[in-house]
């Protein structure tokens, strides 16, 4: 072989002929020397250069275990669901150095819920050398630590409220507040309260911020006829920065007119709202007072501004209702919605067998009453009312003749005893957690509260229109628990031979009472299961 003969060098594949070719200083691979900085090939650049240098692989997230909000430094608390976009954005903000690179992708890696760890996989890009862009993926682990937010810390400390809404109604019962409580629960209007305290004539709602109290007052104005008044008290002031701290009080007063009350309107007001008869029944209380004339089925609405310009009180309330027995009833023909005008002959239930006194009256209950039924109403014959508007009606030559002897309000259903009726219901209502104060209610007050609640439950059963505005829940769990308790009691009775005879006698007596009272329960209004909501046990609801 001739060593001086010329030898041809084959061009390298993929390398332009006009490019300067050098060898990688690390692995010896041929590369373009004009574009490769550092004399490294692309594979060696990925192995030797870390574009994520300076980005921490561990961080800490703070969450409040009471309100489940996450801390966004320096002092902002935000709501974010697990593996949500908001939580992912918070995790990325916690890492320093991400502003120097380009984020291509970020996603969560599944971890055990009880591990208190959050893992995020991040993909970034950065120019390692001139003309060389590297893409790298890495994982960051976050430790979830508990930290109480200032709002929750205030809620566990006394006298830290900033605004209070004092709701009052000057009536002798709590039925209106029970209905208002259900509306508040249905719309979650009390979620910003830090405490709810029960007082003599109403409830006090405490808030940590003024705007929360104003929002609650606006909600009350949208569901009930109320008037509100605002006041403020200076509690501290910084003389250097002229910063002042106030406590705000909102006084909200509900109209003292409730459903099924007998109302004597001022004659001038009765003429201005449709020339209705001044003696009416309150059919419903919503954003306005809906009045019904049982003699003509005429209705009228008294708005909140109109009422407070000329306020009036009820002539009689539901605690003064008297039971009447329908002797005869004849519909007259006119109807309005669920009301049917009829003429009825009634007698007091207490007068049966004593005298033959009967009363002839017109009623709006012609669609539900039949001969032999019982009805609740107001007896005006021989009754003295301390009411100036009713006295003007009696002195009026034209209106005095229109005052009936009896005003029927609603049908009366014969019911079982309270404990049995409670077990019979297949539905329940939610109740708000409230602070009863330092002194518990007296025995007679507790009995009155339970009686008002039972009357409210009966109104819910009998009035479908009222029931449609509330949230009712199934009570199947309660029935099953009662059945289990009954099985345990039967086992205990069988073991105790001495008390076995007495227990059998008592059960027999109760069965006889139930048999006697079941006859009156056949006509009771029933609530269908379609109107009830599920997931009752998860709501932690109590009676």
């Amino acid at each position: 072989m001739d060593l001086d003969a010329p030898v041809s060098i084959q061009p390298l594949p993929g390398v332009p002929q006009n490019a300067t070719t050098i060898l990688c200083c690390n692995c010896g691979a041929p590369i373009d020397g004009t574009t490769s900085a550092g004399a490294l090939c692309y594979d060696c650049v990925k192995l030797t250069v870390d574009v994520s240098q300076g980005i921490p692989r561990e961080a800490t997230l703070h969450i409040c275990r009471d309100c489940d909000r996450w801390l966004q430094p320096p002092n902002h608390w935000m709501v974010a669901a697990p593996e949500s976009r908001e939580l992912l954005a918070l995790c990325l903000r916690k890492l320093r150095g991400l502003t120097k690179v380009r984020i291509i992708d970020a996603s969560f890696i599944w971890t055990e819920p009880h591990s208190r760890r959050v893992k995020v996989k991040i993909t970034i890009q950065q120019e390692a050398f001139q003309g060389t862009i590297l893409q790298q993926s890495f994982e960051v682990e976050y430790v979830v630590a508990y930290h109480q937010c200032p709002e929750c810390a205030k809620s566990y400390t006394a006298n830290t409220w900033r605004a209070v809404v004092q709701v009052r109604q000057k009536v002798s019962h709590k039925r209106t507040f029970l209905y208002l409580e259900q509306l508040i629960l249905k719309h979650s209007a009390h979620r910003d309260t830090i405490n709810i305290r029960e007082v003599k004539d109403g409830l006090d709602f405490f808030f940590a911020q003024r705007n929360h109290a104003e929002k609650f007052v606006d909600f009350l104005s949208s569901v009930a006829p109320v008037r509100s008044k605002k006041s403020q008290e200076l509690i501290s002031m910084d003389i250097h920065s002229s910063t002042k701290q106030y406590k705000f009080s909102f006084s909200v007063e509900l109209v003292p007119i409730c459903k099924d009350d007998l109302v004597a309107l001022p004659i001038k007001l009765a003429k201005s709202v449709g020339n209705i008869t001044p003696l009416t029944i309150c059919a419903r209380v919503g954003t306005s007072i809906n009045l019904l004339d049982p003699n003509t089925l005429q209705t009228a609405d008294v708005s909140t501004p109109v009422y407070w310009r000329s306020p009036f009180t009820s002539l009689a309330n539901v605690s003064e209702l008297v039971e009447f027995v329908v002797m005869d009833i004849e519909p007259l023909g006119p109807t309005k919605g669920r009301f049917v005008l009829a003429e009825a002959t009634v007698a007091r239930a207490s007068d049966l067998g004593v005298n033959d006194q009967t009363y002839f009256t017109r009623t709006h209950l012609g669609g539900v009453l039949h001969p032999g039924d019982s009805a609740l109403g107001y007896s005006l014959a021989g009754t003295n009312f301390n009411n100036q508007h009713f006295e003007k009606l009696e002195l009026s030559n034209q209106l005095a003749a229109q005052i009936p002897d009896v005003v029927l309000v609603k049908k009366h259903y014969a019911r079982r005893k309270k404990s049995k009726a409670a077990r019979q219901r297949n539905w329940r209502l939610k109740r708000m957690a409230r602070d009863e104060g330092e002194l518990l209610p007296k025995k007679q007050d507790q009995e009155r509260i339970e009686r008002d609640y039972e009357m409210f439950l009966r109104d819910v059963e009998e009035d479908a229109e009222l029931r449609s505005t509330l949230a009712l829940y199934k009570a199947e769990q309660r029935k099953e628990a009662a059945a289990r308790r009954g099985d345990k009691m039967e086992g205990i009775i069988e073991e105790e031979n001495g008390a076995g005879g007495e227990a059998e006698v008592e059960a027999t007596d109760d069965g006889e009472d139930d048999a006697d009272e079941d006859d009156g329960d056949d006509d009771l209004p029933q609530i269908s299961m379609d109107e009830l909501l599920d997931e009752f046990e998860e709501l932690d609801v109590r009676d």
Side-chain angles (χ1 to χ4, degrees):
M1 181 178 181
D2 189 1
L3 296 178
D4 297 333
V7 179
S8 64
I9 300 176
Q10 297 293 334
L12 295 176
V15 179
Q17 296 300 319
N18 56 354
T20 303
T21 303
I22 64 174
L23 299 179
C24 177
C25 64
N26 192 15
C27 63
I31 57 176
D32 187 1
T34 60
T35 59
S36 59
L40 293 173
C41 64
Y42 184 75
D43 294 334
C44 293
V45 169
K46 290 195 298 183
L47 294 175
T48 58
V49 178
D50 185 10
V51 295
S52 64
Q53 186 178 5
I55 301 176
R57 296 298 192 274
E58 293 182 355
T60 304
L61 296 175
H62 294 89
I63 184 175
C64 178
R65 68 170 70 191
D66 296 321
C67 60
D68 293 335
R69 293 189 299 172
W70 301 84
L71 175 61
Q72 181 177 346
N75 54 7
H76 177 66
W77 292 84
M78 57 178 292
V79 178
E83 298 189 4
S84 62
R85 297 180 60 183
E86 294 79 7
L87 184 58
L88 182 60
L90 177 62
C91 294
L92 296 179
R93 293 193 195 101
K94 296 284 290 185
L95 299 179
R96 296 180 179 179
L98 284 181
T99 56
K100 301 178 181 179
V101 297
R102 180 183 180 185
I103 301 176
I104 300 301
D105 186 28
S107 61
F108 286 99
I109 300 176
W110 186 86
T111 56
E112 291 289 345
H114 62 273
S115 64
R116 292 171 56 185
R117 297 292 188 274
V118 176
K119 290 185 178 181
V120 178
K121 181 180 180 181
I122 305 175
T123 303
I124 62 174
Q125 280 185 356
Q126 189 182 20
E127 186 177 9
F129 301 102
Q130 184 178 3
T132 304
I133 298 178
L134 292 182
Q135 180 172 315
Q136 185 177 351
S137 299
F138 59 95
E139 296 179 3
V140 180
E141 181 177 347
Y142 297 87
V143 179
V144 179
Y146 292 126
H147 185 77
Q148 194 175 45
C149 64
E151 287 77 9
C152 294
K154 287 184 179 180
S155 64
Y156 290 100
T157 308
N159 301 323
T160 58
W161 55 271
R162 185 57 56 88
V164 59
V165 179
Q166 301 171 340
V167 186
R168 300 288 185 270
Q169 186 185 33
K170 299 178 181 179
V171 292
S172 59
H173 55 82
K174 296 282 187 180
R175 292 171 57 226
T176 304
F177 278 100
L178 292 173
Y179 174 66
L180 187 62
E181 177 185 11
Q182 297 303 318
L183 292 179
I184 293 173
L185 289 171
K186 181 179 180 180
H187 298 280
S188 299
H190 66 301
R191 60 179 177 270
D192 295 325
T193 58
I194 59 176
N195 190 20
I196 302 175
R197 182 179 301 169
E198 186 172 3
V199 294
K200 180 181 179 182
D201 294 330
L203 296 172
D204 289 346
F205 298 85
F206 297 91
F207 298 88
Q209 298 181 17
R210 172 187 172 184
N211 57 344
H212 292 165
E214 293 176 344
K215 182 179 178 181
F216 185 74
V217 173
D218 293 339
F219 170 78
L220 295 179
S221 302
S222 64
V223 298
V226 300
R227 67 174 177 181
S228 59
K229 184 180 179 181
K230 172 188 171 184
S231 62
Q232 60 186 18
E233 178 185 2
L234 180 65
I235 56 177
S236 64
M237 181 178 65
D238 188 355
I239 59 175
H240 301 287
S241 60
S242 298
T243 303
K244 300 179 182 179
Q245 299 291 334
Y246 290 94
K247 278 190 174 182
F248 301 91
S249 298
F250 297 86
S251 176
V252 179
E253 182 181 358
L254 280 74
V255 295
I257 308 296
C258 303
K259 184 177 178 291
D260 297 335
D261 284 358
L262 183 64
V263 178
L265 294 174
I267 298 177
K268 184 178 179 181
L269 178 61
K271 292 181 180 180
S272 65
V273 293
N275 199 19
I276 192 173
T277 305
L279 191 62
T280 58
I281 298 174
C282 179
R284 187 177 61 88
V285 177
T287 54
S288 61
I289 304 174
N290 183 263
L291 303 175
L292 171 68
D293 181 10
N295 294 322
T296 61
L297 299 185
Q298 183 182 358
T299 59
D301 288 335
V302 180
S303 61
T304 304
V306 172
Y307 174 82
W308 291 115
R309 280 200 299 266
S310 57
F312 53 89
T313 58
S314 59
L315 192 63
N317 55 32
V318 291
S319 61
E320 303 175 30
L321 289 173
V322 180
E323 183 180 355
F324 292 90
V325 178
V326 180
M327 312 301 294
D328 187 20
I329 187 169
E330 181 179 357
L332 297 180
T335 60
K336 191 169 186 179
R338 58 190 176 94
F339 300 132
V340 178
L341 186 63
E343 291 181 346
T345 302
V346 298
R348 283 176 178 262
S350 59
D351 292 345
L352 295 180
V354 179
N355 54 49
D356 299 332
Q357 180 69 35
T358 59
Y359 302 94
F360 181 79
T361 183
R362 281 192 173 189
T363 179
H364 61 288
L365 304 175
V368 295
L369 291 182
H370 304 88
D373 291 344
S374 297
L376 296 178
Y378 297 104
S379 177
L380 304 183
T383 305
N384 294 326
F385 296 101
N386 185 14
N387 188 286
Q388 59 176 349
H389 304 303
F390 186 73
E391 292 176 357
K392 292 181 180 179
L393 295 181
E394 292 179 328
L395 297 177
S396 175
N397 296 329
Q398 180 182 2
L399 299 176
Q402 300 180 6
I403 300 177
D405 295 333
V406 173
V407 178
L408 299 182
V409 177
K410 59 182 178 180
K411 184 177 180 180
H412 177 63
Y413 298 92
R415 297 177 181 269
R416 299 181 181 183
K417 298 179 182 179
K418 178 184 174 183
S419 58
K420 296 178 181 178
R423 288 198 299 266
Q424 184 190 15
R425 292 190 176 98
N426 61 342
W427 56 276
R428 294 177 67 184
L429 294 174
K430 294 167 59 178
R431 300 299 304 273
M432 286 191 306
R434 65 187 70 181
D435 183 11
E436 297 181 352
E438 299 179 356
L439 299 178
L440 295 177
K442 299 180 181 179
K443 183 178 180 180
Q444 57 269 24
D445 295 338
Q446 186 66 29
E447 294 176 354
R448 179 178 56 83
I449 294 173
E450 294 177 357
R451 184 172 61 254
D452 292 342
Y453 187 64
E454 178 65 24
M455 291 180 63
F456 176 70
L457 295 181
R458 294 182 181 182
D459 289 341
V460 173
E461 287 179 338
E462 299 170 5
D463 193 346
E465 184 179 356
L466 173 66
R467 192 164 59 245
S468 63
T469 61
L470 307 180
L472 279 65
Y473 297 88
K474 296 179 181 178
E476 296 178 354
Q477 294 88 351
R478 188 175 181 179
K479 289 184 178 181
E480 295 174 358
R484 289 194 296 268
R485 288 197 299 268
D487 296 339
K488 292 181 181 179
M489 291 301 297
E490 289 179 1
I492 295 174
I493 292 174
E494 290 178 357
E495 293 178 0
E496 297 179 358
N497 297 327
E502 297 179 359
E504 292 177 358
V505 172
E506 291 178 358
T508 304
D509 294 341
D510 292 342
E512 294 176 356
D513 294 341
D514 292 344
D516 295 339
E517 295 173 347
D518 282 344
D519 297 337
D521 289 346
D522 294 339
D523 297 335
L524 283 178
Q526 299 293 333
I527 300 179
S528 63
M529 299 298 292
D530 297 337
E531 302 180 34
L532 305 181
L533 303 177
D534 293 320
E535 301 180 2
F536 177 76
E537 186 177 359
E538 298 178 4
L539 296 174
D540 193 17
V541 180
R542 60 183 179 85
D543 282 340

